[in-house]
Amino acid sequence: MSNEPAGEPHWLSDEEQYAWQSYLHATTLLEDHLDRQLQRDAGMPHVYYGLLVQLSRAPRRRLRMTELAQNAKITRSRLSHAVARLEKSGWVRREDCPSDKRGQNAVLTDEGLRVLEKAAPGHVSAVRAAIFDRLSPEQVGQLAAICRTVADGLQPQGADLPWLR
Amino acid sequence: MSNEPAGEPHWLSDEEQYAWQSYLHATTLLEDHLDRQLQRDAGMPHVYYGLLVQLSRAPRRRLRMTELAQNAKITRSRLSHAVARLEKSGWVRREDCPSDKRGQNAVLTDEGLRVLEKAAPGHVSAVRAAIFDRLSPEQVGQLAAICRTVADGLQPQGADLPWLR
DNA sequence: CGCTGATTCTTGAAGTTTTAACCAAGGGTG
DNA sequence: CACCCTTGGTTAAAACTTCAAGAATCAGCG
């Protein structure tokens, strides 16, 4: 847990500090870049686009709210607001879950699918231009391994929230 | 995958898709984790903490607004709001720039420095626990190189905005 | 059944970020 | 100086996120 007595904080080494700074810059710039790209070309922020992608890959283009939130790594609350907005735009529709009366399914509408298919090529281009065109195949593998490791260390088993935190 | 609107969308390969997904998960979870950690322990989001760090490293603990925004990779507008909030909290003070009457300096206050020094150990611990304790030294080097490359590809030379986009 | 606690999802309010103007001061140029 | 364009920074409004609370259903159990 958090043992930080008044002793020695154990700072980052120069290499670590450099890596951390680079990481922060890269992720900030990239997220910003993709957010603008999608806002301009598809009229929605990156996270919302990610939700449509998840839905498009799901069995009948629908997913339980909680499952969608887990896949996208966001809170249920955030998802609720997001789906409300996407519903207002007509890309997504809510649907009562037959098996559990508490549940809701988020369903990707036909129009949502069209918007997604229209935006996807440009988005992939942007991602490719920012990352995969600039990295060697070995680096892509390295990146995947590093991210897997970091993500695994932050997953569910947290404490008092169902799956996040 | 599926159709191709005009020409060839050139989708991501399986390896690339996997890396991209892993990247999104890791960065989302990490940013979320650090935001909560700092909100809890220091009463501010991660970006604001980064601003205090920048200021603490600057010559007389002060920086021109634009320079600070560049260092932190955020827009001037966002910085304006952030500094307004930090000013309200007493961690930062504004100061007219003597050499350029349009300019403003953001100055880290003594209280701001205390808050920063108090929060730093816990934050470093969190970063270390999430990343550097889990990666090999080689991976740290790989991460830095990858992030450098990506960041360099997204830097200034954009078009209609001074330095961002 | 009636109770209790957990799970699902939503909501309102407060805080943060984006977007698009906007103003004031610099820096030429003629 | 008059003009015009750029730069530094702010602001209002809209969009988005977080936080805490709440309503409804489910599931176990006596």
Side-chain angles (χ1 to χ4, degrees):
Chain A
M1 310 304 237
S2 58
N3 344 329
E4 80 281 353
E8 188 45 47
H10 191 197
W11 301 108
L12 299 184
S13 71
D14 286 354
E15 292 81 16
E16 289 169 338
Q17 201 147 13
Y18 177 75
W20 181 230
Q21 189 81 359
S22 304
Y23 170 86
L24 289 178
H25 284 178
T27 54
T28 305
L29 288 170
L30 182 55
E31 182 59 18
D32 203 75
H33 181 67
L34 295 181
D35 254 342
R36 289 176 200 283
Q37 186 265 315
L38 281 170
Q39 191 66 58
R40 173 166 47 75
D41 297 353
M44 66 189 122
H46 190 197
V47 182
Y48 289 27
Y49 178 88
L51 297 176
L52 298 195
V53 171
Q54 293 289 336
L55 288 177
S56 76
R57 292 210 272 246
R60 294 179 58 236
R61 302 205 323 235
R62 68 200 61 204
L63 241 43
R64 283 290 292 271
M65 292 295 278
T66 294
E67 195 176 356
L68 179 50
Q70 287 172 348
N71 291 359
K73 263 73 188 169
I74 64 177
T75 62
R76 288 208 227 51
S77 173
R78 188 176 177 180
L79 180 62
S80 254
H81 289 295
V83 167
R85 193 275 214 187
L86 290 171
E87 208 169 15
K88 211 159 294 180
S89 300
W91 321 141
V92 167
R93 181 165 44 80
R94 279 180 217 257
E95 187 187 70
D96 289 345
C97 176
S99 58
D100 186 339
K101 274 162 196 160
R102 300 168 296 179
Q104 292 277 105
N105 281 325
V107 187
L108 182 64
T109 64
D110 291 345
E111 200 181 344
L113 185 59
R114 274 201 303 278
V115 169
L116 184 56
E117 286 172 338
K118 190 131 174 286
H123 179 62
V124 172
S125 292
V127 171
R128 182 177 291 289
I131 304 208
F132 297 109
D133 284 350
R134 312 187 132 267
L135 300 182
S136 68
E138 301 81 50
Q139 286 182 307
V140 173
Q142 294 166 2
L143 179 61
I146 290 168
C147 289
R148 268 320 274 143
T149 300
V150 171
D152 285 351
L154 294 165
Q155 278 301 342
Q157 73 271 26
D160 48 346
L161 267 183
W163 44 267
L164 203 138
R165 175 176 185 167
Chain B
M1 304 314 269
S2 47
N3 61 358
E4 40 193 66
E8 42 167 273
H10 191 194
W11 301 108
L12 299 183
S13 71
D14 286 354
E15 293 81 14
E16 289 168 338
Q17 201 147 15
Y18 177 74
W20 181 233
Q21 189 82 359
S22 304
Y23 171 86
L24 289 178
H25 284 178
T27 54
T28 304
L29 289 170
L30 182 55
E31 183 58 18
D32 204 75
H33 182 66
L34 295 182
D35 255 342
R36 288 176 201 282
Q37 185 266 315
L38 280 170
Q39 192 66 57
R40 173 165 46 74
D41 297 354
M44 66 188 124
H46 189 198
V47 181
Y48 290 27
Y49 177 88
L51 296 176
L52 298 194
V53 171
Q54 293 289 337
L55 288 177
S56 75
R57 291 210 273 246
R60 297 178 58 237
R61 299 200 332 228
R62 70 198 60 204
L63 242 44
R64 285 290 292 272
M65 294 292 279
T66 295
E67 195 175 358
L68 180 50
Q70 286 172 348
N71 291 357
K73 264 71 189 171
I74 63 177
T75 62
R76 290 206 222 62
S77 172
R78 187 175 177 181
L79 179 62
S80 252
H81 289 294
V83 167
R85 195 273 214 185
L86 290 170
E87 208 170 15
K88 212 160 289 180
S89 301
W91 320 142
V92 167
R93 180 165 45 80
R94 278 180 220 254
E95 188 187 68
D96 288 345
C97 176
S99 58
D100 186 338
K101 274 160 193 160
R102 298 168 296 182
Q104 291 278 104
N105 281 325
V107 188
L108 183 64
T109 65
D110 291 347
E111 200 182 344
L113 185 59
R114 275 202 303 279
V115 170
L116 184 55
E117 285 171 337
K118 190 133 176 287
H123 179 60
V124 173
S125 293
V127 171
R128 183 177 288 292
I131 304 207
F132 297 109
D133 285 350
R134 310 187 137 266
L135 300 181
S136 68
E138 301 80 54
Q139 285 182 307
V140 173
Q142 294 167 2
L143 179 61
I146 291 168
C147 289
R148 256 344 261 141
T149 300
V150 171
D152 286 350
L154 294 165
Q155 280 300 343
Q157 79 274 21
D160 49 344
L161 268 184
W163 45 268
L164 204 139
R165 171 168 188 170

